[in-house]
Amino acid sequence: MLQVRDGAGEMLGVLFDRYQTPLFNFYSKLTGDRTLSEDLVQEVFLRILKYRQSYRPGTPFRAWVYQIARNARIDHFRKFPRERAFEPEMLPPVVPTDSAQEHQEAELLHRALLQLPEDKREILLLCRFQELKYEEIAKLLGCELNTVRTRIHRALQELRKSFHQLTEATLKQANAAAPENLPPRGGRHEV
Amino acid sequence: MKCEQISELLPDYLQGGLSPDQHHTVEAHLQQCVDCSEEVAVWRKLSLLPVEQPSPMSRVRFEAMLQAYQAGRSNEPASGPSWKKRPSSWNFFHWLRSPFGAAAWSAALLVIGVFAGFRMAGPKPLSPDIAEIQKELASTKQLVVLSMLQQQSASARLEGVSWSTREQQLNPQVLSALLHTLRYDPSVDVRLAALDALSRHSTQPQVRNSVVNALQEQQSPLVQVALIDQLVEWHDREAKPHLEKLRQSQDLNPAVRQRADWAISKLN
């Protein structure tokens, strides 16, 4: 009996090791909430255990997992509606530093992503980070392949705009805060 | 080309799914169009976002969930009719997370364990609950094997093949996945492992046929030799004409031909 129990644990453990980080990142980038993301990852594995009979062999396993992941999140927010939507304004301002430009860009991009409407954010995450093919995403979202392409394009357009605005705002702030760092302009040449 | 037309191609460009012609068209457009090229730049910059790691507690919670789920299933019949009203495993898991729940559950487990121990001490046929758990376990195993055989990395597929050997009886879907691996997997190691796993199921006519057919299809001498050895081990006399055909094929590795000759003499 114990052997049976340990055996099943070991096997689901293999799947857990493989998928927990990608799933966690999917949720955390989607919701911006680490604790909730961890809860949802647990829920996904419970559902894998419960509904494993519903997996049809021969279909992509990854897509099946993300189907479960989407449903888990939808069910969660149905049960516990959000009191208020996530507002990026709640985050502390990004402090520009030359030494960590890449870090700063990542931070701004993360915020730009969080500013997107959820459906746009989700589709970008699915194709960029979860490495799902467009056909798989179309099936997952229940829409046409061309619709997926259009949505990705629109999401990316919007992301670019937000990112652009955020970058400009940060630059302005930096210039206002440190005018002494600006190069001198129109200085007189004295001979 | 206009941005509108390019935008239809852009998503496939980003995932590298365009034909070389279309790819060049998009690249040429990107050289001139700031908006579109910025869009591509933002897509690429998304890789800057760090991969976040879940906390180590996540694994602990997973183990607890698994135990609760399995304890919930295995204790149900043993606990008798007085335990009919049991919470569902999900509520159960939430409950288990509280310290009170943990303590209560440990005590309950102990009582149930002792109770079950007494009940199961006497000679008794395999109870339906154990059969049910074994069935569930088999289906989980199947899920793991099937998912792993689809992985990108050869070592993961190799692991998948080795998982399949833990089962005495192969499920038809796992069997067909293994046969597919034997024929088409790009890695020689994985194909060899699949052959090894399949060799345990020689009673299935499908397996023998696939091994015989693979003789003509496989190009790698290592796999060819392994296939020949397998046929000899099975004393498969019907394979003889196929071996003859193999040894006559051109460009055959001399070592493989020698092995085929040896196998034909063995099968006589």
Side-chain angles (χ1 to χ4, degrees), chain A residues 133-138 143-150, chain B residues 12:
Chain A
K133 292 182 190 130
Y134 295 150
E135 290 87 2
E136 291 171 338
I137 296 175
C143 62
E144 295 287 319
L145 188 56
N146 272 334
T147 315
V148 171
R149 290 199 182 100
T150 315
Chain B
D12 284 312

Side-chain angles (χ1 to χ4, degrees), chain B residues 9 16 42 44 87 90 102 116 152:
Chain B
L9 298 173
V42 164
R44 297 210 169 119
W90 176 235
Q152 288 278 318

Side-chain angles (χ1 to χ4, degrees), chain A residues 4-5 8-9 11 17 25 29 34 38-39 42-43 46 49 52 55 105 128 134 149 153 157, chain B residues 7 11-12 39 43 45 50 52-53 55 58-59 61 66 69-70 90 133 136 139-141 163:
Chain A
V4 173
R5 218 183 271 182
M11 279 179 298
D17 290 340
N25 277 271
K29 289 190 171 70
R34 278 185 67 95
E38 287 196 2
D39 286 350
Q42 298 290 333
E43 173 68 13
L46 183 79
L49 200 59
R52 60 189 178 277
Y55 171 68
E105 275 200 321
R128 185 68 173 93
Y134 295 150
R149 290 199 182 100
H153 178 60
Q157 266 180 331
Chain B
S7 71
D12 284 312
E39 213 169 291
W43 169 272
K45 272 189 186 149
E52 292 176 60
Q53 291 300 326
S55 75
S58 190
R59 175 94 210 183
R61 281 178 60 189
L66 200 62
Y69 180 83
Q70 285 167 344
W90 176 235
I133 288 169
E136 284 218 355
S139 83
T140 312
K141 261 187 203 168
W163 272 100

Side-chain angles (χ1 to χ4, degrees), chain B residues 1 4 22 24 26 53 69 106 116 118 134 137 146-147 156 162 203 225 256 258:
Chain B
M1 217 182 243
E4 256 176 54
Q22 289 172 318
H24 284 304
V26 174
Q53 291 300 326
Y69 180 83
S106 309
F118 274 118
Q134 279 174 344
L137 176 70
L146 291 173
S147 88
S162 85
T203 47
V225 168
V256 177
Q258 210 178 351

Side-chain angles (χ1 to χ4, degrees), chain A residues 38-78:
Chain A
E38 287 196 2
D39 286 350
L40 287 172
V41 171
Q42 298 290 333
E43 173 68 13
V44 169
F45 282 95
L46 183 79
R47 288 183 183 206
I48 289 180
L49 200 59
K50 271 169 138 178
Y51 305 130
R52 60 189 178 277
Q53 311 284 2
S54 74
Y55 171 68
R56 279 182 297 130
T59 57
F61 184 72
R62 186 179 285 270
W64 181 70
V65 169
Y66 281 99
Q67 183 78 61
I68 293 180
R70 285 195 83 226
N71 291 341
R73 185 177 62 89
I74 292 167
D75 291 348
H76 173 84
F77 285 121
R78 200 173 289 153

